[in-house]
Amino acid sequence: TAKIEGEYLLVKNAKRNSYMDSDPSFTYRAVPLRFATDNTKVALKTILSYYNDLSVDDFKHHYEMLRQAFRNALKQCGLYTRGGSYQIYSFRHQFGANLKASGSSSELTAYLMGHTSTETARNHYGRTSNGQPRLIITEQTRADLIHVCVKNGWPMPDYLLK
């Protein structure tokens, strides 16, 4: 389940442990939407209203269709290898690796990945050596990220200063 509240996409955490169960703030992962366009937010709301109403079986069916479409796209690009191919979730790991390789602080990486802990992104998402050290971002996004870093007192990555 997911929902949009204010400037955040709240996605229900699938992973649970006793610490998370004792603190209701861990029920949802907060993904900042302040960089999203209005059109993106409208599209997200439309998608969420559709998928949140599906039964578990219908959701699994849709998810499997998406995985098959992704697999077919990889085959067409020559990137599919049986048993060792990329998955939809691979993009999340690559994003984390790219942030690390580009010099993002643990705090900024955690913020952009929707983590409440810097340790999660640092230890469980993408190795720095697998990342592409050059991020391409718009001037508006650069300004927004600089604002977030300054506001929170986080180190400023070099790619924001160029």
Side-chain angles (χ1 to χ4, degrees), residues 122-140:
R122 186 174 52 246
N123 295 333
H124 301 290
Y125 282 90
R127 295 185 180 126
T128 303
S129 60
N130 293 336
Q132 301 297 319
R134 190 171 149 245
L135 292 178
I136 299 171
I137 57 176
T138 66
E139 286 306 313
Q140 181 60 52

Side-chain angles (χ1 to χ4, degrees), residues 42-88:
V42 168
L44 275 172
K45 287 178 183 176
T46 303
I47 292 167
L48 291 176
S49 68
Y50 176 76
Y51 278 102
N52 284 339
D53 290 338
L54 290 178
S55 69
V56 172
D57 287 339
D58 285 342
F59 181 82
K60 286 179 182 178
H61 174 73
H62 280 263
Y63 185 76
E64 187 54 36
M65 288 174 45
L66 179 61
R67 286 183 61 211
Q68 288 175 6
F70 183 68
R71 189 176 306 124
N72 289 338
L74 288 173
K75 285 178 182 178
Q76 289 177 0
C77 296
L79 297 174
Y80 180 80
T81 57
R82 194 171 189 84
S85 185
Y86 299 102
Q87 302 295 320
I88 296 168

Side-chain angles (χ1 to χ4, degrees), residues 19-37:
Y19 179 74
M20 293 170 103
D21 289 338
S22 68
D23 186 344
S25 68
F26 286 106
T27 304
Y28 288 90
R29 175 186 311 259
V31 179
L33 293 177
R34 65 180 306 202
F35 309 116
T37 65

Side-chain angles (χ1 to χ4, degrees), residues 73-119:
L74 288 173
K75 285 178 182 178
Q76 289 177 0
C77 296
L79 297 174
Y80 180 80
T81 57
R82 194 171 189 84
S85 185
Y86 299 102
Q87 302 295 320
I88 296 168
Y89 205 65
S90 301
F91 290 109
R92 183 169 174 78
H93 282 269
Q94 188 63 53
F95 179 65
N98 290 353
L99 287 170
K100 291 175 186 179
S102 297
S104 286
S105 67
S106 296
E107 295 86 359
L108 183 58
T109 299
Y111 173 80
L112 291 172
M113 295 188 75
H115 294 151
T116 55
S117 164
T118 57
E119 186 178 326

Side-chain angles (χ1 to χ4, degrees), residues 141-157:
T141 300
R142 181 185 316 281
D144 288 341
L145 290 174
I146 289 170
H147 172 77
V148 168
C149 287
V150 169
K151 177 181 158 193
N152 292 292
W154 298 338
M156 193 79 61

